[in-house]
Amino acid sequence: MTNLTHLDEAGAARMVDVAGKAVTAREAVASGRITMSAEAAAAIRAGAVKKGDVLATARIAGIMAAKRTAELIPLCHPLPLTRVAVDLAPDETGVTVTATAATEAQTGVEMEALTAVSTALLTLYDMAKALDKAMVIGEIRLLSKKGGKSGDWAAP
């Protein structure tokens, strides 16, 4: 269990002490997808969903969620985010969401990017569920990270 940083020697959950780590520029990119009926996807692309601008609302929800990650995910450090971008790419069968989070801090922003993606996808579902209750959210994953002690990483 010593390789798991959120567990102490006895196996109890703990917040990692980052006090001795250097403040560095860090960035993370995550993505996910919601698939849906062709009709629901067309309505989103056309801006014809009764609840309003689905894509704009999902973008704002993702940004807001990234800023609140430490309140949502136990043991995450609150971070001073310097940038959060949420991009939505609608197509004939759904929407792909990509989020980028950046900071200058002692720990990374992977969870902020993943939280932004997850919340944007949930918002898409909420706003379009009247059109298609069978939508599927999935493929949420980290695409890349930059900075920090462990260096850069990109998904294969």
Side-chain angles (χ1 to χ4, degrees), residues 49-143:
V49 177
K50 288 183 181 180
K51 284 191 174 184
D53 189 337
V54 174
L55 298 174
T57 303
R59 179 176 293 109
I60 295 297
I63 292 167
M64 289 174 64
K67 294 166 60 173
R68 300 186 78 108
T69 299
E71 296 174 34
L72 300 169
I73 308 296
L75 309 179
C76 279
H77 291 84
L79 295 176
L81 296 174
T82 56
R83 180 170 54 95
V84 177
V86 177
D87 298 310
L88 297 101
D91 59 40
E92 294 77 22
T93 61
V95 181
T96 299
V97 176
T98 304
T100 303
T103 190
E104 291 187 13
Q106 294 166 296
T107 190
V109 289
E110 295 92 340
M111 293 308 301
E112 286 72 11
L114 288 162
T115 299
V117 166
S118 300
T119 303
L121 290 167
L122 289 168
T123 302
L124 289 165
Y125 185 95
D126 180 52
M127 293 197 68
K129 67 186 176 219
L131 301 172
D132 181 3
K133 289 179 181 34
M135 291 179 283
V136 176
I137 294 172
E139 304 174 34
I140 300 169
R141 68 187 196 131
L142 183 67
L143 296 177

Side-chain angles (χ1 to χ4, degrees), residues 140-154:
I140 300 169
R141 68 187 196 131
L142 183 67
L143 296 177
S144 65
K145 70 161 267 324
K146 294 179 184 174
K149 182 179 175 183
S150 64
D152 297 353
W153 177 87

